[in-house]
Amino acid sequence: KPWYQRRVAITTGKDRDVIYLAQCQICKAASREDSYFGQTGTPMHVRMNGHRNKFVIDERLLFQKSALSMHCFEEHRSQFSMEYFKLGIVKKVSPLELLREENKIIYNYRTNLLGLNRSVITACR
């Protein structure tokens, strides 16, 4: 297993300034690796609510604003829910290092090519 799967800590929801991992459990059960690395300076529960609020299929196309909801929409539309993602904290970093560390992990584990970080997300408005 890659180190990020062995060293993922369970989040309390209050953790901030972290790199987190979301793994699609539907894909994992089918022996496919679809993981997403993200970062947040806000408490984890606030960031996850941001993803969770995008699990809506309507004319606003909110699902296009989160890599997680976009993945479920494209791959598992009948199971379109945030509940199919296992979440954990990969690394706690200083606020100034969040973006750099996230990009480094995404690059090292190629989730920009093979995982959910490859999704192009439309800007939130």
Side-chain angles (χ1 to χ4, degrees), residues 36-58:
Y36 173 83
F37 290 105
Q39 52 91 1
T40 184
T42 63
M44 260 302 263
H45 75 278
V46 172
R47 180 65 193 106
M48 291 306 107
N49 284 340
H51 280 295
R52 194 172 288 109
N53 292 337
K54 304 305 182 270
F55 278 82
V56 176
I57 300 174
D58 63 13

Side-chain angles (χ1 to χ4, degrees), residues 84-99:
Y84 294 105
F85 287 91
K86 183 177 179 182
L87 304 168
I89 294 172
V90 174
K91 188 175 189 179
K92 181 152 180 63
V93 298
S94 77
L96 296 175
E97 296 176 349
L98 276 172
L99 189 57

Side-chain angles (χ1 to χ4, degrees), residues 12-65:
T12 65
K14 295 179 182 179
D15 299 297
R16 60 176 63 218
D17 301 323
V18 296
I19 309 300
Y20 63 88
L21 172 66
Q23 292 178 302
C24 178
Q25 297 303 292
I26 299 169
C27 289
K28 185 176 179 182
S31 299
R32 287 182 36 213
E33 182 63 41
D34 262 333
S35 296
Y36 173 83
F37 290 105
Q39 52 91 1
T40 184
T42 63
M44 260 302 263
H45 75 278
V46 172
R47 180 65 193 106
M48 291 306 107
N49 284 340
H51 280 295
R52 194 172 288 109
N53 292 337
K54 304 305 182 270
F55 278 82
V56 176
I57 300 174
D58 63 13
E59 67 281 351
R60 297 175 296 164
L61 303 176
L62 290 177
F63 70 89
Q64 293 180 351
K65 299 187 186 311

Side-chain angles (χ1 to χ4, degrees), residues 22 24 34-36 67-68 71 85 111-112 114-119:
C24 178
D34 262 333
S35 296
Y36 173 83
L68 306 183
H71 170 74
F85 287 91
T111 58
N112 57 334
L114 305 173
L116 301 184
N117 291 100
R118 71 185 179 274
S119 298

